[in-house]
Amino acid sequence: MISQKFGRFLIKEWLGGGRFADVYLAEDSLIGKEFAIKIARGGEANLPNLIEEVKLLSELLHPNIVRFFTVEKHQGRTGIVLEYINGPSLRRIIKEKAPLNIAVVSSFLKQICSAVDYAHSRMILHRDLKPENILVEGNKLKITDFGLAFFLEGEMTRSVAGTPPYMAPEAWRGKYYKESDIFSMGVVAYELLTGLNPFFADSIEETMRNVKKGIRLRDIPPYIPESEKEAILRATASDFRKRYGSASEFFSDFIKESPGQSIITLKGKGKKKRSNLSEEQKEAVSSPFKYTLVIGGPGTGKSQSLIGRLIYLIDNGVDPEGILITTFTNKGKEDLEERISRYLREDVSHIWLGTFHQISTKILESSSHFIGYSQGFSVIPSGIAQKTIDVILRNKKINYPSSEFLRLISFSKSSLIPPEKMEIGEQKKKALIDIMRAYQEWKRQNGYMDYDDVIHLTYKLLKENSLVREDYNRLFTDIIVDEFQDLNKVQFEIIKLLLGRSGKLFATGDDDQSIYQWRGGKPELVRTFKKVFKENSRIYYLTRSFRLGEEIIAPALNLISRNRDRLEKVMWSEEKGGKVQIEGLATRNEEAEFVLSKIASGAARGRSFNEFAIIARYNYLLRNYYSVLKQNSIPFSVMFNKNFMRKREIEVLINFLKLLSRPTKLPFIFFVNLGDHLISREELKGKRNYIELLKRHPNKVVRERALFLSSLIKRASSLKSSIALKIGVEYTGLLKSVPNRSFFVKSEIIGELMDLAIDFDERSRKKDIKSFLSYIDLLFSKGFIKSEEGVKLISAHSSKGLEFPVVFIVDAYEGAFPAFSTYMTRKRMEEERRLFYVAMTRATEKLYIIFPKTEKRTSVEISRFVREALGI
Amino acid sequence: MEDFDIKIGKPSYLSNLIIYPAFGDENSLALVTLEESHNRGGTRILETGVVEELEIDHSDGDLLFIHEGEEIIGARQNRIFATSMILPMGRKRVPVLCAEEGRWKGGQELAPSGYIAYPRVRSIISRTITIKKKPSQNEVWREIKRKQTTMRVSSKTRAMTESFSAKEEELSFYREYFPEREQIGFLAFTNLRFLGGELFFSTDFFQKFLNKLLVSYGLDALEDRMREGEKPQSRPEEVIEAVRKARLREAETYGVGEEMRGVTKKFVLRLLLLTGVIVHLSVLSR
């Protein structure tokens, strides 16, 4: 026990502690200055020796070493008075931010190495270097506890000092050299780069075994550049004689190639050829061909090749401002931006990098006057677009849902098929032409563009205006395209126009990972690349997966090879590992319990919760999991699809619930009309008793509907939200009346909302409609629930581009994955298979595929994809 | 509770567990603890066939005091007492919670384990028993499981007692507390939060529970010790003020005396009175 006064020091706060000592913030009552006091937990330390040692240590004056001042003795305890650092330990930084980018790690390591070298030059070893003993104040690192491990751990452990997962093999035998500190630094560097300790295990014996085995090359993630890998391997070599002789030597090897230096350096530049790219990546990156396509499966390093290409171009004298890089998603853009700036060590805003929408907007901003937008333009959200079409439809007295026309207009623009040539009924075609013209005119007059216009008008501008086009042809010498398989027709045409005659194309893609065909994605662009770019073109294949173990590659390839429309590929891995486990559980609840138990046991063995992902075909299938994880206090993040609330069916049903909970005139008229144009707003203008009037309306249908709705409104407060929804589905005939949308798609969307309502009714104290409406409002306005830390709950679509050591694909049964809606055509089933393939290949170490044997008391069948993957 | 008169002393530091001593009036009551009585054969704790009830067969002359959260082990599953109580001689069925989710077999008799449930578990019991009139068994099981996962304790039957025994060595440092003269209770904070406080009617009686309470609080402190983060928001003065202002309601009492309970935004309070004297007061972080 430490009372508030420790000698002349007033204890103010506990700052931290290890197994053998605690550190307190204390104020020196004589001079009023704050210090940190480290107090051994055991009894009296070997005081005379300690004082002698502290005399030596107090002479350690280095900007990255916490200063020793004196020793204080109080009530049989010994306290070492140290400089107080007001900042977290490196452990907290690792916990919150690791893996850190290489530039930051280099900056940290530089300071650590400088301090360690300085101490070693004075013959002082640290003996317990670990993140807890490195404090961070702003950007400055300070190492604490130099030479103290020996004293603080007392006689009992005098022969062995240190913290097991950071201790060199010789330290386990009680022998310490300066190379032992370098070993610990290697472990710290590994942890900064990966967020994981390479040796950590449940028991001390296992930790010792891991330390003896040492770090193997395959333990280091492939994204870490070669120089860092090699430096870490040498620093942590089991034999101390094979390690670096000094910390500075370690650091100079560590930063040999990055950051600030190219990740690839090719012949002809007078430098040694050395890089962190594989041979096949290097070959692709340095392709001399005008049109290059790099095809590779999951984890084969396509993005790395893409960055490699950029750096190769810059190294070869290409002006970065003449390089255009397109990505499919904003997330992809941000990832690339971060990685490129990390490698180039500079701001990358001068490079044309963005999604198609971002690039197109940038082009239009300077040239929109050429296409009739003389005052510039603003982009309208899809909600306004739909409302505008509603108005046009009303004015033209056309009885079709606006969402359907919006979809057709969008399809026409993205596929470059004019409405005249679309394969739809003549009457509908005529209406579409009419509406499209009116809609375009309205936008042009008001200076608006919708989301599709941005791309379509860029295409039009480049196609029709040779001056603008040639300007960009001169600007862009090289165009780099990520996720080539996801381009739609108009995006591909824009690329060709921007390339002109002399531009070079470098694209990466994988037709097996094309999961956006329903949005217009054209995986056939990958297959027909050589046909389109006949001359001076080349396809390179990346075959080695750095992410997946062989055990996962084999079933994944089994599965995807069932697709007919695909390019045959080879994929292999040097990693022998990876495990696939298939589990059939009795119910979905048992499924969730199984996942939970695996996560808990994994966590107990030292895995971080961030290492787990639960992937389902649809978001709603994951809700079961977030309640189970929440109950067990396991951190998780879940992503909702914000577009869900914008779906036509959902909008109608939510408006129906709103009408029941708070009736107002316009929605009432809408639900009496139900698209039949039986009554108009004008008819009831200024009439407050509109419900009564409609109940006596001469039209029988209006009368009946008004009577039904008014009686329902009266009962609304006693209705459960799920019951009200069921009535809504029946009343609106939603499952019958939305044209051109398959029954299954609609029923899945409506089912998702219905599940939310049932779940809400089961869990909530208030089950009324109003409470349900505010609940879903909250749910979907947030998008993400909880922090981004913890177990990831994601839909298969959102999982693309991510990777996790442990993945659970849940609800792998017929009807859920593959979804019913994909049974109709081979094309859709093939896309669904690609989706399952994408989900499978997110796992780097362990993949669980799980399915319930019954769902809603009906027995279900294991997904055909599981059978195909296993060859059964 | 506006006349609640208590003084808080200067803190002592047991690593990240900060103990503020509490001083108040010394009273004299002839109470025997469960462990004392059980050790001398004056009390037996028996199964009733119902998980949430045990029978106390108390044949000692003295009034028997049972501390809320006190753990008894054996029989079909280990249990913890749902509430503090004072029992006269005789047989009495009292409310308990299961503290071992994975065991359903065993004998008929139980014995004190020497541990008191850690503050997080006690807070769950107090909160749910106050608000819902019935303690939540599921929440208690979940908390025990959560603690074991977080602290990497392996227990085949998810027994709370194993959380203590597995961490015996680390917890020993928290026992190194020397009470001050006339100290009858304490308020305890960790580096991250207010854990709770206890108050008894006399110095002697407080000291009978001190070691057990330090270990109990230590288990929560040990978990917080692994974390760096924001400092605790509440101060001792705030806790005392909350106790003074708390609206306590009379609750069902098992045995003699009166039990009062209350829940505020931040705290859960329980008070056991005998002839107007505070026998035991607990205030836990909600």
Side-chain angles (χ1 to χ4, degrees):
Chain A
M1 180 178 91
I2 311 296
S3 58
Q4 203 183 11
K5 283 205 100 182
F6 190 84
R8 66 172 205 265
F9 293 91
L10 185 70
I11 303 284
K12 292 171 88 175
E13 201 178 293
W14 180 84
L15 293 173
R19 267 192 309 155
F20 302 99
D22 288 289
V23 185
Y24 300 92
L25 169 64
E27 188 181 299
D28 185 329
S29 56
L30 283 179
I31 57 172
K33 195 174 169 267
E34 286 184 335
F35 292 93
I37 296 195
K38 186 154 205 152
I39 302 172
R41 282 184 146 204
E44 244 176 279
N46 186 342
L47 196 59
N49 277 357
L50 181 57
I51 290 171
E52 277 311 301
E53 189 73 8
V54 169
K55 271 187 201 164
L56 265 181
L57 298 175
S58 64
E59 284 163 21
L60 276 180
L61 295 174
H62 187 276
N64 301 113
I65 295 179
V66 171
R67 242 192 113 178
F68 289 80
F69 287 101
T70 184
V71 173
E72 181 79 9
K73 206 174 161 233
H74 180 70
Q75 290 178 345
R77 289 191 186 274
T78 310
I80 300 156
V81 183
L82 307 159
E83 175 189 5
Y84 167 55
I85 306 298
N86 188 8
S89 72
L90 202 54
R91 164 66 59 225
R92 185 158 158 197
I93 304 285
I94 290 173
K95 196 174 164 198
E96 289 172 2
K97 296 181 180 161
L100 300 173
N101 77 43
I102 290 169
V104 175
V105 176
S106 302
S107 144
F108 281 0
L109 206 60
K110 187 177 180 184
Q111 299 178 57
I112 300 170
C113 287
S114 162
V116 171
D117 253 356
Y118 171 83
H120 285 180
S121 70
R122 278 155 184 74
M123 307 307 284
I124 295 172
L125 305 182
H126 191 289
R127 299 167 193 252
D128 194 16
L129 263 176
K130 58 182 176 181
E132 286 81 354
N133 282 339
I134 301 167
L135 305 173
V136 186
E137 196 172 40
N139 289 326
K140 203 166 192 180
L141 259 58
K142 293 226 174 195
I143 303 180
T144 186
D145 281 7
F146 252 106
L148 283 185
F150 196 65
F151 290 96
L152 294 171
E153 301 190 9
E155 289 296 340
M156 290 288 285
T157 51
R158 180 64 46 96
S159 58
V160 177
T163 306
Y166 300 89
M167 278 165 61
E170 68 276 9
W172 290 82
R173 300 190 296 272
K175 295 193 186 307
Y176 293 90
Y177 313 106
K178 59 183 179 181
E179 287 85 354
S180 315
D181 279 347
I182 288 166
F183 179 95
S184 309
M185 284 168 54
V187 180
V188 172
Y190 180 97
E191 221 170 316
L192 289 169
L193 286 167
T194 63
L196 301 167
N197 183 292
F199 305 126
F200 184 82
D202 278 348
S203 67
I204 205 155
E205 294 76 18
E206 209 181 326
T207 305
M208 190 153 71
R209 275 198 295 276
N210 290 346
V211 169
K212 271 186 187 165
K213 263 191 252 163
I215 301 176
R216 290 156 301 182
L217 188 61
R218 67 174 185 189
D219 297 330
I220 309 180
Y223 61 80
I224 295 174
E226 286 300 314
S227 63
E228 277 87 338
K229 278 187 194 167
E230 283 170 18
I232 288 173
L233 286 176
R234 192 171 154 198
T236 56
S238 298
D239 182 349
F240 75 94
R241 283 164 294 222
K242 290 184 180 163
R243 284 178 221 145
Y244 293 104
S246 71
S248 52
E249 206 186 326
F250 169 43
F251 182 67
S252 69
D253 251 16
F254 186 87
I255 56 150
K256 199 168 258 176
E257 285 175 9
S258 76
Q261 296 182 41
S262 303
I263 53 165
I264 90 159
T265 313
L266 294 166
K267 285 174 189 167
K269 297 209 76 183
K271 295 176 192 169
K272 193 179 161 194
K273 184 176 176 180
R274 185 173 164 167
S275 95
N276 67 330
L277 296 177
S278 65
E279 285 309 311
E280 51 189 18
Q281 282 176 317
K282 279 181 209 163
E283 206 190 336
V285 160
S286 50
S287 160
F289 295 90
K290 198 170 170 188
Y291 306 108
T292 305
L293 173 63
V294 181
I295 299 177
T300 51
K302 292 189 290 295
S303 299
Q304 206 177 8
S305 306
L306 195 139
I307 296 167
R309 174 68 172 188
L310 173 74
I311 290 164
Y312 166 77
L313 292 174
I314 294 171
D315 275 359
N316 282 276
V318 174
D319 180 359
E321 287 181 35
I323 302 172
L324 166 69
I325 308 175
T326 71
T327 60
F328 187 64
T329 60
N330 203 36
K331 186 178 167 297
K333 178 228 166 188
E334 282 166 7
D335 281 354
L336 266 186
E337 205 165 48
E338 201 259 324
R339 289 169 75 168
I340 293 170
S341 65
R342 193 198 304 164
Y343 283 114
L344 293 180
R345 221 196 219 177
E346 60 183 56
D347 178 29
V348 291
S349 55
H350 57 293
I351 295 176
W352 279 68
L353 166 64
T355 61
F356 263 92
H357 277 94
Q358 288 161 346
I359 300 286
S360 300
T361 308
K362 201 169 168 182
I363 291 173
L364 287 178
E365 270 167 359
S366 57
S367 313
S368 62
H369 52 283
F370 288 118
I371 46 166
Y373 285 81
S374 52
Q375 305 294 318
F377 63 93
S378 46
V379 180
I380 51 168
S382 58
I384 293 184
Q386 186 160 358
K387 278 185 185 149
T388 309
I389 294 189
D390 272 333
V391 173
I392 297 171
L393 285 168
R394 220 173 15 244
N395 291 344
K396 293 189 179 288
K397 296 201 168 97
I398 297 172
N399 188 17
Y400 270 113
S402 54
S403 57
E404 173 61 4
F405 277 103
L406 206 59
R407 192 185 69 78
L408 289 172
I409 292 169
S410 174
F411 178 75
S412 163
K413 287 176 193 165
S414 62
S415 60
L416 294 176
I417 300 174
E420 297 81 7
K421 293 191 177 166
M422 282 172 77
E423 289 176 5
I424 48 175
E426 277 310 306
Q427 207 183 345
K428 200 175 194 178
K429 190 184 288 180
K430 199 166 161 281
L432 178 65
I433 295 167
D434 215 13
I435 290 161
M436 217 167 148
R437 197 172 292 139
Y439 177 52
Q440 295 297 96
E441 194 46 42
W442 172 81
K443 283 186 291 181
R444 199 190 309 269
Q445 276 174 7
N446 292 288
Y448 292 146
M449 284 187 198
D450 66 20
Y451 202 62
D452 296 313
D453 285 334
V454 175
I455 307 257
H456 186 252
L457 292 177
T458 303
Y459 163 73
K460 222 171 148 199
L461 171 73
L462 295 171
K463 174 97 180 155
E464 291 169 5
N465 193 313
S466 58
L467 279 176
V468 175
R469 186 175 65 241
E470 282 161 16
D471 228 19
Y472 283 105
N473 290 159
R474 275 192 296 276
L475 174 64
F476 296 131
T477 53
D478 284 270
I479 296 180
I480 299 175
V481 180
D482 194 17
E483 308 280 14
F484 190 67
Q485 76 282 355
D486 289 326
L487 293 192
N488 62 30
K489 172 83 175 156
V490 67
Q491 289 167 338
F492 182 54
E493 290 303 319
I494 289 175
I495 292 290
K496 286 202 289 185
L497 288 167
L498 288 173
L499 281 169
R501 284 184 194 160
S502 55
K504 281 185 180 172
L505 172 68
F506 182 90
T508 59
D510 179 9
D511 55 338
D512 288 337
Q513 292 185 72
S514 164
I515 52 173
Y516 291 106
Q517 239 175 310
W518 51 279
R519 275 198 216 165
K522 288 205 164 292
E524 58 268 32
L525 288 177
V526 172
R527 298 193 290 272
T528 56
F529 188 82
K530 285 290 273 183
K531 278 187 197 161
V532 178
F533 301 107
K534 288 187 188 87
E535 285 168 23
N536 209 354
S537 69
R538 170 87 179 264
I539 294 179
Y540 293 87
Y541 288 90
L542 302 181
T543 58
R544 177 184 168 189
S545 178
F546 298 97
R547 182 200 300 162
L548 308 176
E550 271 182 354
E551 300 293 321
I552 295 173
I553 288 182
L557 285 180
N558 271 349
L559 172 74
I560 203 65
S561 61
R562 300 285 182 125
N563 274 3
R564 259 194 265 165
D565 293 335
R566 70 181 285 268
L567 281 175
E568 273 304 323
K569 297 173 200 75
V570 174
M571 190 159 60
W572 60 280
S573 171
E574 277 189 353
E575 305 296 324
K576 291 276 176 243
K579 276 183 188 162
V580 184
Q581 187 176 334
I582 317 288
E583 283 292 332
L585 283 307
T587 61
R588 290 191 68 221
N589 283 342
E590 283 190 22
E591 224 189 356
E593 278 297 320
F594 174 81
V595 171
L596 182 73
S597 69
K598 291 291 168 195
I599 292 174
S601 62
R605 283 199 300 274
R607 277 197 192 279
S608 143
F609 289 122
N610 290 344
E611 294 179 40
F612 300 94
I614 305 174
I615 302 178
R617 174 64 176 86
Y618 294 108
N619 276 315
Y620 78 88
L621 293 169
L622 292 166
R623 270 184 289 111
N624 204 16
Y625 290 88
Y626 64 73
S627 48
V628 170
L629 293 172
K630 202 172 168 186
Q631 278 165 11
N632 287 280
S633 305
I634 292 178
F636 66 95
S637 66
V638 55
M639 194 171 74
F640 284 102
N641 183 359
K642 287 188 177 176
N643 290 329
F644 178 74
M645 292 299 281
R646 294 193 204 118
K647 291 191 194 300
R648 175 76 179 154
E649 294 82 355
I650 302 303
E651 269 187 358
V652 169
L653 289 173
I654 296 295
N655 284 334
F656 185 77
L657 294 185
K658 280 183 182 165
L659 173 73
L660 298 190
S661 104
R662 193 167 164 271
T664 49
K665 196 195 280 181
L666 286 183
F668 196 90
I669 295 173
F670 175 87
F671 282 102
V672 168
N673 273 330
L674 278 181
D676 293 338
H677 291 282
L678 302 169
I679 38 169
S680 67
R681 274 196 291 179
E682 281 69 33
E683 209 177 308
L684 295 171
K685 207 170 183 180
K687 308 257 167 62
R688 285 190 172 184
N689 57 343
Y690 60 95
I691 297 182
E692 290 309 312
L693 288 174
L694 291 176
K695 275 156 77 176
R696 295 195 298 273
H697 199 272
N699 186 325
K700 192 183 164 200
V701 179
V702 172
R703 253 191 345 258
E704 280 175 3
R705 288 181 183 173
L707 271 167
F708 175 76
L709 286 176
S710 78
S711 74
L712 197 62
I713 289 165
K714 279 181 196 154
R715 288 192 291 129
S717 58
S718 63
L719 282 178
K720 277 187 183 178
S721 51
S722 56
I723 303 288
L725 261 183
K726 266 185 201 164
I727 296 171
V729 175
E730 286 292 319
Y731 176 78
T732 54
L734 269 176
L735 282 173
K736 302 168 206 152
S737 73
V738 183
N740 285 339
R741 206 164 195 167
S742 88
F743 172 80
F744 290 117
V745 172
K746 281 185 292 174
S747 65
E748 269 158 17
I749 292 167
I750 293 170
E752 198 162 334
L753 185 66
M754 192 63 85
D755 277 349
L756 269 176
I758 293 167
D759 188 57
F760 176 81
D761 289 345
E762 278 172 9
R763 287 175 203 286
S764 312
R765 217 154 30 91
K766 285 186 167 183
K767 304 175 195 314
D768 60 298
I769 299 168
K770 207 170 169 185
S771 308
F772 174 67
L773 286 171
S774 29
Y775 165 69
I776 52 167
D777 217 27
L778 184 77
L779 208 64
F780 287 94
S781 63
K782 276 187 181 171
F784 262 103
I785 284 197
K786 294 225 161 188
S787 68
E788 291 199 35
E789 285 302 305
V791 178
K792 294 281 180 299
L793 273 67
I794 35 179
S795 71
H797 274 106
S798 309
S799 73
K800 195 175 168 199
L802 305 174
E803 62 176 85
F804 305 91
V806 185
V807 166
F808 301 90
I809 300 178
V810 297
D811 290 318
Y813 63 88
E814 285 293 307
F817 208 168
F820 278 127
S821 56
T822 61
Y823 284 19
M824 303 303 203
T825 63
R826 181 177 61 84
K827 210 171 168 187
R828 294 199 66 182
M829 185 54 82
E830 290 205 347
E831 173 135 329
E832 192 78 347
R833 191 174 281 113
R834 289 195 289 269
L835 192 58
F836 201 91
Y837 172 76
V838 165
M840 282 179 81
T841 51
R842 299 309 97 200
T844 56
E845 292 173 27
K846 180 109 200 190
L847 170 66
Y848 293 94
I849 304 178
I850 309 161
F851 64 99
K853 290 174 183 163
T854 56
E855 163 62 351
K856 292 179 184 157
R857 294 183 189 163
T858 313
S859 64
V860 291
E861 254 189 69
I862 184 171
S863 166
R864 72 189 65 189
F865 298 149
V866 181
R867 294 183 191 283
E868 290 167 0
L870 298 179
I872 50 176
Chain B
M1 291 291 285
E2 293 204 345
D3 54 347
F4 180 63
D5 188 24
I6 205 81
K7 287 189 178 58
I8 298 297
K10 289 187 172 160
S12 294
Y13 294 81
L14 294 158
S15 184
N16 66 323
L17 182 66
I18 305 153
I19 302 277
Y20 289 84
F23 306 96
D25 293 339
E26 179 92 17
N27 286 285
S28 170
L29 293 170
L31 298 182
V32 60
T33 68
L34 178 65
E35 207 165 62
E36 286 168 343
S37 181
H38 186 271
N39 286 348
R40 65 187 185 219
T43 298
R44 293 178 71 204
I45 311 155
L46 303 160
E47 278 288 1
T48 59
V50 182
V51 175
E52 64 265 26
E53 269 187 357
L54 289 177
E55 188 172 86
I56 306 288
D57 180 4
H58 174 50
S59 53
D60 246 352
D62 294 324
L63 288 173
L64 173 70
F65 174 79
I66 294 176
H67 194 293
E68 54 162 291
E70 218 170 340
E71 189 191 42
I72 49 258
I73 53 174
R76 290 186 191 163
Q77 55 270 129
N78 301 346
R79 316 282 173 66
I80 43 182
F81 287 102
T83 180
S84 289
M85 60 192 100
I86 303 164
L87 301 178
M89 268 176 44
R91 282 175 168 245
K92 177 83 186 164
R93 282 189 167 217
V94 298
V96 290
L97 288 106
C98 168
E100 190 180 18
E101 191 185 355
R103 183 167 68 90
W104 295 87
K105 281 179 192 166
Q108 280 302 307
E109 203 155 336
L110 298 97
S113 69
Y115 295 121
I116 293 176
Y118 51 93
R120 272 180 195 265
V121 167
R122 286 175 58 201
S123 168
I124 289 169
I125 299 172
S126 294
R127 177 173 47 79
T128 50
I129 205 171
T130 308
I131 297 172
K132 298 177 182 168
K133 313 284 180 215
K134 196 174 185 288
S136 168
Q137 178 64 71
N138 276 334
E139 277 191 59
V140 167
W141 277 335
R142 272 204 297 275
E143 168 52 34
I144 293 171
K145 198 158 60 173
R146 185 203 64 78
K147 174 75 99 186
Q148 293 184 336
T149 308
T150 313
M151 301 198 67
R152 301 179 184 211
V153 171
S154 161
S155 166
K156 276 185 185 166
T157 56
R158 286 184 196 150
M160 181 188 74
T161 206
E162 291 189 46
S163 301
F164 287 107
S165 51
K167 298 286 167 189
E168 192 66 46
E169 196 189 328
E170 286 108 311
L171 288 171
S172 64
F173 185 75
Y174 294 111
R175 289 182 203 262
E176 290 182 22
Y177 178 79
F178 309 108
E180 296 185 34
R181 280 181 59 202
E182 293 174 15
Q183 184 179 344
I184 55 166
F186 63 75
L187 293 179
F189 292 74
T190 68
N191 48 316
L192 299 180
R193 63 204 170 93
F194 168 65
L195 283 183
E198 314 280 344
L199 194 77
F200 294 85
F201 64 89
S202 76
T203 312
D204 283 351
F205 210 68
F206 163 63
Q207 290 187 6
K208 285 182 183 176
F209 285 98
L210 179 60
N211 257 344
K212 287 185 201 171
L213 287 168
L214 288 169
V215 169
S216 157
Y217 278 70
L219 195 66
D220 270 350
L222 206 55
E223 186 182 340
D224 288 354
R225 197 166 190 273
M226 303 192 291
R227 300 183 193 156
E228 287 180 62
E230 297 303 313
K231 296 179 176 62
Q233 299 298 312
S234 311
R235 304 285 314 147
E237 305 76 39
E238 191 197 342
V239 181
I240 297 300
E241 196 54 26
V243 174
R244 283 202 181 108
K245 287 188 178 167
R247 285 189 190 164
L248 302 181
R249 286 190 193 157
E250 207 168 318
E252 187 184 355
T253 312
Y254 299 85
V256 296
E258 293 169 73
E259 195 189 342
M260 315 276 283
R261 297 170 189 159
V263 175
T264 72
K265 264 187 188 170
K266 289 184 172 177
F267 310 110
V268 197
L269 292 103
R270 298 178 81 173
L271 181 66
L272 183 64
L273 296 157
L274 185 67
T275 60
V277 172
I278 296 177
V279 176
H280 178 221
L281 164 75
S282 71
V283 49
L284 299 165
S285 188
R286 188 173 167 173

